[in-house]
Amino acid sequence: MAIISLLFVTIELLCVFPKPNRAADAIRPTQFLRNGSTLVSNGGRFELGFFSPGSNPNRLYLGIWYKTIPVRRVVWVANRDKPIEHPPATLTLNGTGSLVLLGRNQSVVWSTISSKEAANPAAQLLDTGNFVLRDEQRDTNSYSANFLWQSFDYPSDTLLPGMKLGWDLRTGFVRRLTSWKSSDDPSPGELIYGVELHSYPEAVMRRGSTEIYRSGPWNGLRYSGAPELRPNPLFHFEFNANLEEVYYTYQLNNDSVISILVLNGTSSAGQRYIWIEDQKRWNLYVSLPRDNCDTYSLCGAYGICVINESPVCQCLKGFTPKSPGKWNNMNWSQGCARNKPLKCGKGDGFAKFDGLKLPDTTHSWVNRSMNLKECRAMCLANCSCVAYTKSDIRGGGSGCAMWFGDLMDMRQLPIGGQELCIRMPDSELGANHFSMKQLVIIVAVIAVYFGIIIVGYCICRRRRKTKENAENDIRNNYNNERQERDLEMPSFDLASIVNATSNFSVDKKLGEGGFGPVYKGVLLDGQEIAVKRLSMSSGQGVNEFKNEVTLIAKLQHRNLVKFLGCCIEGDERMLIYEYMPNKSLDFFIFDETKGKLLDWSKRYHIIFGIARGLLYLHQDSRLRIIHRDLKASNVLLDNEMNAKISDFGLARCFGSSQTMANTIRVVGTYGYMAPEYVVDGLFSIKSDVFSFGVLLLEIVIGKKNRGFYHSSHNLNLIGHAWRLWKEGRALELVNGEPYEVSCHVPTILRCIHVGLLCVQQQPEDRPNMSSVLLLLSSEGTLPQPNQPGFFVDRSPVEVAEYSSNKYTPSSSTNDITITHLEAR
Ligand SMILES: *[C@@H]1O[C@H](CO)[C@@H](O)[C@H](O)[C@H]1NC(C)=O
Ligand SMILES: *[C@@H]1O[C@H](CO)[C@@H](O)[C@H](O)[C@H]1NC(C)=O
Ligand SMILES: *[C@@H]1O[C@H](CO)[C@@H](O)[C@H](O)[C@H]1NC(C)=O
Ligand SMILES: *[C@@H]1O[C@H](CO)[C@@H](O)[C@H](O)[C@H]1NC(C)=O
C-alpha cells in the first residue's frame, strides 16, 4: 500500500501543471493531464485541454482551440461521441506509447493506436494545431512527418491550414470533415465533406448518404465548379493526385492571420471564416454551396443550371425535358433526353459546350498523358463514352477526361467555366461535319452570293431617298416580317383613349417620348395608363413606332414597362402602357432634394432591377434585344420604386448567334453611348452594357455623366470616377447622408467597381449582364477594370444634348437621332 501511494506521489509530482510564465506543450509517459490544466503550443497559438460545450459542465471532451482569440473555437475533438460523464478526466501516455483518455473509475474513454511502438514517446501540441505523438529517441525534429499518430489525421469539423483532406492510397486511410451534431454536441453529425476517389477526383458534400454538393473535378488550377478558388491574398491551395495520395490542402499566406474551413451542420455548408482581430469576431469569407445551382443535380441528367435564368434549369441544346409536365412545374429531377438517338459507329460527332462546371465524375476515366485529339478519337470509338474534355487546363490544356453514362449536375459559370464536348448524332450537329472540301465549296458559294447581294444593295441604296432608306434599315433587321403579322395584341379603340385622356388635353400630357407626346389617362374601369401618341409630323417616328410595337408585344418582364396594347385607327398610332406614378429615374437621381428619397438600399434595388431587365432583353427573352438607348430617363419607377426599362423605339432584334451588328445610322443619347458605337457604328450587347455602366455610376454618384463639371480637370463623370477609384478615393464620389453611406461602404464600392468594369474601352473586356448580376451580388474579389471608354477629355466641339425626357414637356422636337456618320 505504501509503495502504491509513493508511486502516486511521484506521478503527481511529474504531473503537468500550467506554470505562470510558460505552459508545457507536451506530455511524456507517466505524466498526465487533468481537466483544469492545459497544454499550450510552443508559439502560444493553440491550446489543448478539456471543455464542456453547452450547459452541462459534467460532460467533458478533450479538444484543441485557438489560445490567441477570446471566442473559444474548438477545432478538434478527441472523444467526439463519448464524453466523460464523471470527472475527473485524465489524459495520459501509457507504456506502449498510446494516448489514453480515462474517466473517473479509470475506464478508457478514448485511445490512439500507433503505427509502431516508440522507445521514448512524447505527445506534443504543435503550433500548427496538430497534436502529435512522436518518438523523441528516433526523431528529434518535432516537425518531422514521421509521427506515430497525429490529430491532423482525424479531422473533426474543421480543416486547419496544413491539414490534408483526402486519401492516403498506400494505407487506404481517408481524412474527411464531419459536422458536429449540434452546437453543443460534437459527436459526428450527418454532414460529411471529403474527396471522392473517382478516376477524376472531386470533393463531395453529403448529408447522410445523399449527395448535396460537389465541387467538380480538379482541373489543375481549381475545382471545376469553384471559380472562386483562385490565387488570392489570404491563402494558397494545392491538390495532389498521384499513386500514393489524393488530397486538397491549403496554407495561409500570412502567419498572423487566422482562417479556417468549417463544415457547418446547421446551415449545411462548408464555410471559410477569417478572424477579424479588430472586431473580435469571425467573418464569413465563402460558403458552399453558394446558390441554388450548386444543389446537386438540380436539373437532372443533361440539364444545365443557369443561375440568372428563370427558371434556372434548361436542357442542353439537342435535348428536351424527359417529362415536360413535371419540368414545367419546376420539378427538374427527371432531366432531359436526346431529341435524336445516338447512332454510335454510324455517324456521331461532338458538340462543344462552353462555360460549364464539369459533370459528375462518378463514371469517368482520366489519362493525363493523352492529348485532346487522341481523347476525341478514343471517345468516339467507344459507344458508351458520352463526353470528353481536357483533364488539366493549365497552359494550353492537356490530358483526357471521358464520361460514361448520363451527364449529371452541370451548371453554367459566368467566369471560369470549362468546355465539354458532348456526343451527338450527326443530324443534331448541322453543318459542323462537312469535309474540308465541302466546306471550302460552301464558303465560296456563300461569299459569291453575299458579294452579289452587297453590290445590289449598294446600287439600290444610292437610288433610294434617305427617308425610305432608314425605314429599310430597320426593317431589314427583322429577320422575318411574319413576326409583324402574327402580332397578337390587345387593341384599344380610339374613342376610349380620347375619353381616357380628356381628348389629349394639355394638362394630361406627361412629356415627350421618342416619337411623340405621352399622356396620362384613366380608363373607364379606373386603370391608369400612359398613352404614347405618334406625332403626325415625325417621319422617323413611324419606324420607331413599328419597332416598339413589334418588340414590346413579345416582351414581358417585371423590370420592363408593361405594354397593354395599341390603338391604330385612321392616322392615329398609339401605344398604351401601364402608368408609372413615380415617373422616371432621372427625376430622382439628378435632383438634390428628390435624391434624398432614394436611400442606398432603394438605389441598389433599382440597379438590380435594371440589370435584370437588361439581362432579360439580352439573353432570356424569345428575341435577343439590344436596347441601344438605355439612360436614366428611360427607366421608369412604379409605386414601389421597381425599375422598369422603357422606350424600345431604337431597340434592335438579334439572331441568336449574331453578337454584333453595324449600322450606318448611329442613334442613341450622348453620354451613354459606347465608343465603338459612336465611332464605328458597331453595336452589340456590350454597348448596352456600357450604357448600363454609365447609368450605374450615375445612380451611385447622383450626377449626370454628360454635362458633368469639375473645377480641377476636364474629365467627364466616368473619367472622374476612374481617376478617384485608381487613387483609392472612390468613396469621395458619393455624397449621401454620411451615416447611410458608412453603412453601405462595401456595396457602394462594389457598385462603382462594377460600373467601371462595364464602361471599359474595349467591348470584349466588359462583362455581360449575367456576369454583372453575379459580380454585383457576390462577395469575391472583382477583376481590375481597364481604362474606360471616353475617359479622356471631351472633344472641344460638343454636339448639343439630345436627351429625351419622356415626362418633361420640352420645346425641342426631341430628335434623338444622331446621324453624323451618314456622310462617311
Ligand atoms: C465506469 O463507469 C461507467 C459509467 O458510470 C460505467 O459504464 C463503466 O462500466 C464503469 N467501468 C468500470 C470498469 O467500472
Ligand atoms: C501579416 O499581417 C500583419 C498584420 O495584418 C501585417 O502587419 C504584416 O505586414 C503581414 N505580413 C506579411 C508578410 O504580409
Ligand atoms: C453555421 O452557419 C450559421 C449561418 O451561416 C452561423 O450562424 C453559425 O454560426 C455557423 N456555425 C458555425 C459552427 O460556424
Ligand atoms: C468503353 O469504355 C468502358 C469504360 O472505360 C470500358 O469498360 C469498355 O470496355 C469500353 N468499350 C470498348 C468497346 O472499348
Side-chain angles (χ1 to χ4, degrees):
M1 201 59 199
I3 295 170
I4 292 175
S5 69
L6 192 66
L7 195 65
F8 258 95
V9 170
T10 350
I11 292 176
E12 288 291 341
L13 286 176
L14 283 167
C15 175
V16 185
F17 290 108
K19 295 186 188 113
N21 39 8
R22 197 178 172 287
D25 71 340
I27 55 174
R28 300 193 165 73
T30 68
Q31 296 182 326
F32 49 85
L33 185 75
R34 279 262 165 88
N35 51 312
S37 31
T38 58
L39 298 182
V40 175
S41 66
N42 208 344
R45 178 172 277 239
F46 285 98
E47 185 165 32
L48 175 140
F50 293 93
F51 71 100
S52 31
S55 50
N56 186 350
N58 282 339
R59 292 168 69 89
L60 286 178
Y61 294 90
L62 178 71
I64 297 173
W65 53 86
Y66 280 97
K67 168 90 174 153
T68 46
I69 64 179
V71 185
R72 181 176 288 184
R73 163 115 238 172
V74 175
V75 295
W76 181 78
V77 187
N79 50 325
R80 291 187 73 171
D81 42 13
K82 215 170 162 198
I84 293 165
E85 309 267 5
H86 302 280
T90 314
L91 176 70
T92 180
L93 195 54
N94 71 11
T96 60
S98 291
L99 277 165
V100 184
L101 191 55
L102 303 168
R104 182 169 58 180
N105 56 5
Q106 302 295 306
S107 60
V108 175
V109 174
W110 174 87
S111 68
T112 63
I113 299 160
S114 301
S115 45
K116 24 188 180 306
E117 253 185 46
N120 200 355
Q124 185 180 17
L125 179 62
L126 305 182
D127 213 31
T128 53
N130 197 1
F131 187 41
V132 303
L133 197 57
R134 57 195 185 85
D135 192 344
E136 285 188 312
Q137 188 157 334
R138 285 197 314 163
D139 80 90
T140 44
N141 173 8
S142 64
Y143 291 92
S144 150
N146 292 325
F147 300 127
L148 302 171
W149 176 92
Q150 57 175 338
S151 65
F152 270 22
D153 278 343
Y154 303 88
S156 300
D157 66 341
T158 306
L159 195 73
L160 291 172
M163 268 185 172
K164 291 174 176 177
L165 189 73
W167 296 74
D168 186 330
L169 300 177
R170 295 160 296 196
T171 57
F173 195 80
V174 54
R175 305 173 193 97
R176 295 189 183 97
L177 296 182
T178 322
S179 66
W180 284 27
K181 205 164 232 162
S182 67
S183 61
D184 53 11
D185 184 359
S187 62
E190 282 203 293
L191 200 65
I192 300 169
Y193 185 63
V195 173
E196 303 219 338
L197 268 192
H198 307 147
S199 178
Y200 203 13
E202 58 185 350
V204 170
M205 195 184 299
R206 291 177 185 274
R207 180 167 279 288
S209 57
T210 314
E211 186 160 352
I212 57 175
Y213 164 78
R214 50 181 278 279
S215 63
W218 191 265
N219 61 25
L221 291 178
R222 56 177 176 268
Y223 292 123
S224 163
E228 75 281 343
L229 201 57
R230 57 173 172 246
N232 63 74
L234 181 64
F235 65 97
H236 52 275
F237 48 86
E238 188 186 324
F239 189 91
N240 269 317
N242 52 44
L243 292 176
E244 299 186 334
E245 287 183 294
V246 180
Y247 66 86
Y248 166 85
T249 187
Y250 72 95
Q251 288 288 355
L252 299 174
N253 295 338
N254 185 334
D255 266 352
S256 61
V257 173
I258 294 179
S259 171
I260 50 175
L261 197 71
V262 180
L263 193 60
N264 185 331
T266 320
S267 55
S268 276
Q271 301 176 324
R272 179 178 289 283
Y273 287 93
I274 305 170
W275 175 255
I276 310 287
E277 184 56 37
D278 306 344
Q279 301 167 11
K280 302 271 178 263
R281 65 179 180 91
W282 291 96
N283 191 26
L284 186 62
Y285 183 78
V286 74
S287 183
L288 297 168
R290 271 156 306 190
D291 55 25
N292 205 14
C293 277
D294 268 350
T295 311
Y296 179 72
S297 192
L298 183 71
C299 302
Y302 301 105
I304 178 163
C305 194
V306 189
I307 195 66
N308 288 316
E309 296 278 349
S310 173
V312 289
C313 285
Q314 322 231 310
C315 286
L316 288 174
K317 194 160 168 281
F319 293 80
T320 40
K322 214 172 217 168
S323 46
K326 284 189 182 158
W327 185 272
N328 293 336
N329 284 326
M330 320 253 281
N331 176 354
W332 303 293
S333 55
Q334 306 274 311
C336 308
R338 291 181 185 277
N339 294 340
K340 300 193 180 122
L342 290 173
K343 297 198 206 112
C344 193
K346 299 183 278 302
D348 281 346
F350 292 94
K352 189 150 109 187
F353 293 83
D354 213 349
L356 298 183
K357 167 182 178 179
L358 294 179
D360 189 327
T361 59
T362 308
H363 305 288
S364 63
W365 180 88
V366 167
N367 180 328
R368 294 183 196 279
S369 57
M370 275 164 74
N371 66 29
L372 201 62
K373 216 169 142 194
E374 294 163 339
C375 193
R376 182 183 195 280
M378 186 163 172
C379 186
L380 195 61
N382 185 330
C383 288
S384 45
C385 174
V386 286
Y388 73 91
T389 192
K390 302 160 189 165
S391 60
D392 192 324
I393 61 170
R394 279 176 294 185
S398 61
C400 169
M402 294 197 269
W403 277 261
F404 302 88
D406 287 344
L407 300 177
M408 307 293 285
D409 195 42
M410 284 173 282
R411 69 173 293 179
Q412 189 89 45
L413 292 169
I415 36 170
Q418 288 180 251
E419 60 180 49
L420 181 70
C421 297
I422 300 179
R423 194 184 200 100
M424 292 282 178
D426 265 350
S427 50
E428 283 284 343
L429 291 169
N432 295 350
H433 281 259
F434 289 108
S435 72
M436 208 53 207
K437 201 168 154 191
Q438 282 169 317
L439 207 66
V440 169
I441 294 172
I442 290 168
V443 168
V445 169
I446 291 175
V448 169
Y449 178 77
F450 273 98
I452 293 171
I453 289 188
I454 289 166
V455 169
Y457 177 73
C458 293
I459 293 170
C460 292
R461 247 182 75 74
R462 292 235 172 102
R463 292 205 191 128
R464 291 224 179 119
K465 304 232 159 57
T466 342
K467 197 172 155 189
E468 286 166 346
N469 195 349
E471 193 167 333
N472 273 330
D473 179 26
I474 288 203
R475 201 181 279 149
N476 286 339
N477 269 278
Y478 301 126
N479 307 355
N480 47 19
E481 291 201 19
R482 219 164 355 117
Q483 284 182 346
E484 258 176 85
R485 268 182 266 131
D486 16 270
L487 276 186
E488 266 178 41
M489 58 189 143
S491 155
F492 289 77
D493 63 287
L494 186 57
S496 69
I497 300 298
V498 167
N499 188 20
T501 58
S502 318
N503 196 13
F504 306 108
S505 83
V506 180
D507 56 305
K508 291 283 167 109
K509 187 163 158 180
L510 293 167
E512 202 67 39
F515 50 75
V518 182
Y519 297 90
K520 181 183 173 182
V522 183
L523 293 176
L524 283 181
D525 61 6
Q527 184 178 12
E528 292 184 312
I529 53 171
V531 180
K532 240 173 145 178
R533 187 187 194 193
L534 173 64
S535 55
M536 314 278 180
S537 59
S538 165
Q540 197 53 53
V542 178
N543 298 319
E544 284 175 15
F545 177 86
K546 280 191 198 162
N547 194 34
E548 180 143 2
V549 171
T550 324
L551 294 182
I552 190 108
K554 295 191 180 132
L555 301 175
Q556 244 184 5
H557 188 270
R558 73 194 131 131
N559 295 112
L560 301 187
V561 65
K562 192 167 165 203
F563 177 67
L564 300 174
C566 63
C567 169
I568 305 180
E569 263 183 62
D571 286 340
E572 285 289 356
R573 303 235 172 318
M574 283 176 281
L575 297 176
I576 324 294
Y577 291 95
E578 64 179 330
Y579 172 70
M580 290 289 138
N582 278 324
K583 307 195 177 176
S584 50
L585 187 55
D586 55 331
F587 266 72
F588 289 90
I589 55 174
F590 303 136
D591 184 296
E592 210 156 300
T593 344
K594 295 216 197 76
K596 296 213 170 79
L597 298 174
L598 281 190
D599 61 24
W600 179 251
S601 47
K602 286 211 186 75
R603 282 176 202 242
Y604 195 58
H605 178 69
I606 289 169
I607 291 169
F608 255 84
I610 302 170
R612 286 203 202 91
L614 203 52
L615 174 70
Y616 170 80
L617 292 179
H618 287 178
Q619 260 184 24
D620 300 354
S621 64
R622 280 191 286 157
L623 315 162
R624 277 164 59 100
I625 288 161
I626 295 175
H627 187 283
R628 294 211 296 173
D629 199 16
L630 186 69
K631 55 181 168 182
S633 60
N634 277 344
V635 174
L636 307 185
L637 298 168
D638 70 6
N639 50 13
E640 286 164 342
M641 297 307 251
N642 291 308
K644 311 255 180 178
I645 300 175
S646 77
D647 211 330
F648 294 82
L650 301 179
R652 288 298 183 90
C653 185
F654 262 62
S656 57
S657 56
Q658 191 182 6
T659 57
M660 189 179 264
N662 194 305
T663 181
I664 40 140
R665 233 168 50 84
V666 173
V667 292
T669 303
Y670 271 130
Y672 291 94
M673 288 192 287
E676 75 279 3
Y677 181 41
V678 173
V679 177
D680 298 321
L682 286 174
F683 63 91
S684 66
I685 54 173
K686 295 298 182 68
S687 46
D688 268 0
V689 170
F690 184 94
S691 310
F692 173 80
V694 175
L695 186 52
L696 172 50
L697 291 172
E698 288 183 338
I699 295 173
V700 177
I701 300 168
K703 302 225 169 55
K704 269 190 165 172
N705 182 33
R706 200 173 147 70
F708 174 81
Y709 175 76
H710 195 277
S711 52
S712 66
H713 55 65
N714 214 7
L715 301 170
N716 61 6
L717 183 69
I718 300 180
H720 179 58
W722 167 245
R723 175 181 284 190
L724 286 188
W725 184 83
K726 268 205 315 198
E727 293 168 3
R729 297 159 54 201
L731 269 188
E732 290 172 30
L733 290 164
V734 187
N735 58 356
E737 289 287 319
Y739 171 73
E740 234 259 311
V741 170
S742 70
C743 286
H744 294 103
V745 167
T747 15
I748 291 174
L749 290 178
R750 178 160 285 262
C751 283
I752 294 173
H753 194 148
V754 172
L756 288 171
L757 287 170
C758 292
V759 297
Q760 292 176 96
Q761 171 86 32
Q762 298 300 330
E764 58 274 16
D765 291 345
R766 299 172 207 150
N768 59 23
M769 287 313 295
S770 56
S771 309
V772 167
L773 273 162
L774 200 81
L775 294 174
L776 279 173
S777 53
S778 72
E779 300 197 333
T781 35
L782 296 170
Q784 294 300 303
N786 295 321
Q787 172 168 310
F790 291 138
F791 139 80
V792 230
D793 289 14
R794 284 160 287 188
S795 65
V797 198
E798 278 200 75
V799 193
E801 176 150 16
Y802 293 99
S803 122
S804 70
N805 265 349
K806 197 163 292 76
Y807 288 120
T808 351
S810 147
S811 56
S812 82
T813 51
N814 270 302
D815 185 6
I816 45 170
T817 309
I818 301 161
T819 50
H820 66 274
L821 288 162
E822 191 101 58
R824 278 196 163 194

